[in-house]
Amino acid sequence: MWHLLEHREMKRLARGRAAAKAGPLPQPARPAGTDLLPQIKHIVVLMMENHSYDNYLGMLQGRGEGFPLGPDGEPDVSNIGTDGEGIRAFRQPTTKQYDGVPAQSWHASHIQWGEGKNDGFVTSAQDVQAAARAGNAPHVDTSAQAAVMGMGYWSESDLPFYYGLARTFPLADRWFCSCLGPTFPNRRFLIAGTAHGLIDDSPYDLLDYPPAGTIFDMLTEHDISWVNYHPVAKDGSRWKPYARHKQKMIVRRLRSAGRALPAVTQDVQKDIQFTADVFPLGIGRYMEHVRSIDQFFTDAAEGNLPAFSLVDPDFGNYSEENPQDIQKGESFAAEIINRVMHGKGWPDTLLIFLYDEHGGYYDHVPPPAAVPPDDVEGRSAIDSHSRLETVLRPVLPGLVKSKETLDAGPRRYDRYGFRVPAVIVSPYARPDYVSSEVFDHTSVLKLVEEKWNLPPLTARDAAARSPLDALDLTRAPAFAKPPSLPEPSLRWGTW
């Protein structure tokens, strides 16, 4: 039943994708869908949320480019606040984060970048706090301590599993998020090579679809198995998740059609539970390709993972976004990675561990210029001088002002976002290896395209580099026996 419904959905999408001009195949003489990397049977992507490279791995010594250190052994970097006060990078006092700051909106991220000076991590938080005091930004801690948290970092004693992982497997110290913006645009780049105009996390802006489709469409078209795993309630039934997804899609369409109504515009929060949801996902594809984390554990143990897996955390509780306790996210990630390493499919698996964006936390490496994915510029549902803005401003001035604040800035996707932690985990991984090639989330697409001889979706993934330099596929795997890694600070199932 669901397979037939998915087939209908794919036929409908194919009509829209027909106008998109396909790029060249990695090996044009061979058919699309040909497996060019038979040693790797399972690609797993585990994407957490909202931390920069320096924020987590800046104090990892002797491996990768972390903080520049002063004579005292502490990071020799600082930012200046709105009153001219200098804030040097400092060790975070707790693993629990503050609410709403630092911020990673489109506007805040561009302030933080500061035309390459990376000097706006304190002022951007102070701007968000000022907006909150004026009633234009909900859910923000306005304390003086919270204002400087973007300059804080965590170290090995806070995140022992992550440090052990980064010391053991290849570390990518130039993996940038795909744009200077928040979660939704960056996760769109991961699966489609473009944000397709999205610059914020508004759920009512998630009803468009990219001309070339997503990597999931490409995989389905060539009969390559894929699943998006994510945490779901343990109710023993797939009908309840199906009903929730259907209801959510209806609500999104109502919000999109009726944004001018206060009841559907005020205090709208992120509503995705899995990454495939950042573009419309039909019910057939949902039922065929979305599974629970418990199912992931079973599939990993039995060696039954699909060809491509995308694993999401619980975005509300242990994705590591503020104000969560980051050690809960480490606990989840450690469990996922350990289940893969000790499952029957480990000998044929490549896992990429990374973050969607920087979360407003400092990084000292300026993001370089990037190839624009397409000609679609960033847009907002409440752009200045739009018809909707004209209607809303008299009745909901706070909402309009908040949206303008979050979305202000240039509207091109011609620059990467900040660096994020990224580790390549596989039995074929090169020991003691650091890759300093420039990657972004479309490097995952490039990897999938190079493995299965698929065309690029956009100009961005066409120009991307895959992280295959981290593997040695010509020799016996160095990590055929899974290495022992440190325990996370919180063991899975104990909190």
Side-chain angles (χ1 to χ4, degrees):
M1 169 184 174
W2 302 120
H3 177 73
L4 294 175
L5 185 54
E6 180 190 26
H7 182 68
R8 288 175 55 191
E9 292 167 356
M10 290 298 297
K11 284 184 66 176
R12 185 170 62 252
L13 288 172
R15 290 195 291 270
R17 292 169 54 207
K21 184 179 179 181
L25 302 180
Q27 293 191 16
R30 307 183 73 176
T34 301
D35 189 351
L36 305 179
L37 296 171
Q39 301 99 318
I40 303 298
K41 293 183 171 59
H42 311 284
I43 295 175
V44 180
V45 177
L46 170 59
M47 178 175 272
M48 305 298 286
E49 284 203 290
N50 294 34
H51 291 276
S52 71
Y53 184 98
D54 280 347
N55 178 241
Y56 269 9
L57 299 177
M59 295 302 286
L60 179 65
Q61 299 303 301
R63 192 167 173 82
E65 184 181 339
F67 283 122
L69 303 180
D72 59 359
E74 296 298 319
D76 191 19
V77 293
S78 62
N79 267 202
I80 295 175
T82 53
D83 294 329
E85 71 280 19
I87 306 296
R88 186 178 181 183
F90 61 91
R91 167 82 183 278
Q92 293 275 11
T94 174
T95 58
K96 295 179 180 178
Q97 303 171 90
Y98 285 80
D99 199 356
V101 282
Q104 69 279 0
S105 69
W106 185 268
H107 181 53
S109 296
H110 282 81
I111 291 176
Q112 291 154 9
W113 170 56
E115 301 293 335
K117 297 187 293 294
N118 289 21
D119 61 356
F121 288 87
V122 177
T123 55
S124 62
Q126 292 172 327
D127 287 350
V128 170
Q129 289 181 323
R133 294 188 191 100
N136 297 326
H139 312 299
V140 174
D141 189 317
T142 58
S143 67
Q145 296 93 328
V148 301
M149 284 298 131
M151 295 303 295
Y153 64 86
W154 286 278
S155 63
E156 185 166 9
S157 60
D158 304 305
L159 299 167
F161 179 83
Y162 286 167
Y163 270 68
L165 186 73
R167 281 202 182 94
T168 304
F169 288 104
L171 173 66
D173 69 355
R174 283 292 187 280
W175 195 299
F176 296 88
C177 52
S178 291
C179 67
L180 283 163
T183 291
F184 287 4
N186 276 291
R187 287 185 179 260
R188 279 189 161 193
F189 268 100
L190 173 70
I191 67 172
T194 177
H196 203 235
L198 190 68
I199 58 176
D200 56 33
D201 286 345
S202 297
Y204 44 64
D205 286 336
L206 298 180
L207 296 176
D208 58 317
Y209 212 77
T214 71
I215 197 62
F216 300 134
D217 301 331
M218 197 79 71
L219 293 174
T220 300
E221 182 179 317
H222 292 91
D223 296 318
I224 300 166
S225 59
W226 66 272
V227 171
N228 190 170
Y229 296 95
H230 75 109
V232 297
K234 296 182 179 181
D235 53 23
S237 168
R238 294 214 64 222
W239 289 101
K240 289 185 179 179
Y242 158 75
R244 284 194 294 267
H245 179 70
K246 185 174 182 179
Q247 181 183 32
K248 181 174 62 179
M249 295 307 296
I250 292 171
V251 170
R252 277 188 190 169
R253 289 184 173 89
L254 289 174
R255 284 173 173 165
S256 182
R259 272 175 275 202
L261 299 177
V264 296
T265 53
Q266 289 185 309
D267 199 28
V268 173
Q269 302 299 307
K270 292 196 298 188
D271 73 341
I272 67 166
Q273 282 86 47
F274 52 93
T275 297
D277 200 25
V278 295
F279 287 109
L281 188 70
I283 299 303
R285 289 189 296 165
Y286 174 85
M287 295 300 289
E288 285 285 302
H289 298 288
V290 179
R291 297 285 184 271
S292 70
I293 291 299
D294 285 342
Q295 187 63 51
F296 176 86
F297 292 154
T298 298
D299 292 346
E302 296 178 354
N304 291 332
L305 289 173
F308 182 81
S309 303
L310 178 54
V311 183
D312 290 319
D314 184 320
F315 292 116
N317 294 297
Y318 46 85
S319 69
E320 299 172 38
E321 183 172 12
N322 71 53
Q324 299 167 17
D325 185 336
I326 61 169
Q327 290 183 337
K328 291 183 178 180
E330 184 197 36
S331 175
F332 170 77
E335 191 69 13
I336 294 293
I337 293 169
N338 278 317
R339 296 286 187 120
V340 168
M341 288 198 305
H342 297 284
K344 293 180 181 178
W346 169 245
D348 315 303
T349 297
L350 165 59
L351 182 148
I352 300 176
F353 166 71
L354 75 166
Y355 286 74
D356 56 9
E357 33 94 350
H358 71 299
Y361 288 105
Y362 177 84
D363 193 82
H364 77 279
V365 177
V371 174
D374 44 39
D375 295 328
V376 181
E377 294 194 355
R379 59 183 180 271
S380 170
I382 310 179
D383 277 322
S384 295
H385 311 301
S386 71
R387 187 176 304 172
L388 181 59
E389 182 266 348
T390 303
V391 173
L392 284 180
R393 189 176 292 277
V395 293
L396 291 172
L399 173 68
V400 174
K401 182 65 177 177
S402 174
K403 195 78 162 153
E404 288 175 339
T405 299
L406 290 173
D407 295 345
R411 296 301 176 94
R412 296 289 294 162
Y413 301 96
D414 56 3
R415 186 164 300 278
Y416 296 117
F418 295 98
R419 292 188 306 166
V420 293
V423 182
I424 313 302
V425 181
S426 175
Y428 290 98
R430 297 180 187 272
D432 304 314
Y433 187 76
V434 174
S435 178
S436 294
E437 301 285 353
V438 172
F439 301 118
D440 82 311
H441 301 335
T442 66
S443 295
V444 173
L445 299 179
K446 191 71 165 185
L447 171 66
V448 172
E449 292 156 8
E450 289 184 348
K451 173 168 171 55
W452 285 293
N453 203 35
L454 300 174
L457 296 168
T458 70
R460 176 68 71 85
D461 57 307
R465 182 185 296 269
S466 79
L468 284 174
D469 65 309
L471 305 185
D472 187 346
L473 299 172
T474 65
R475 300 180 182 179
F479 295 102
K481 179 181 179 181
S484 296
L485 297 174
E487 289 286 336
S489 296
L490 299 176
R491 182 170 292 189
W492 182 250
T494 63
W495 43 271

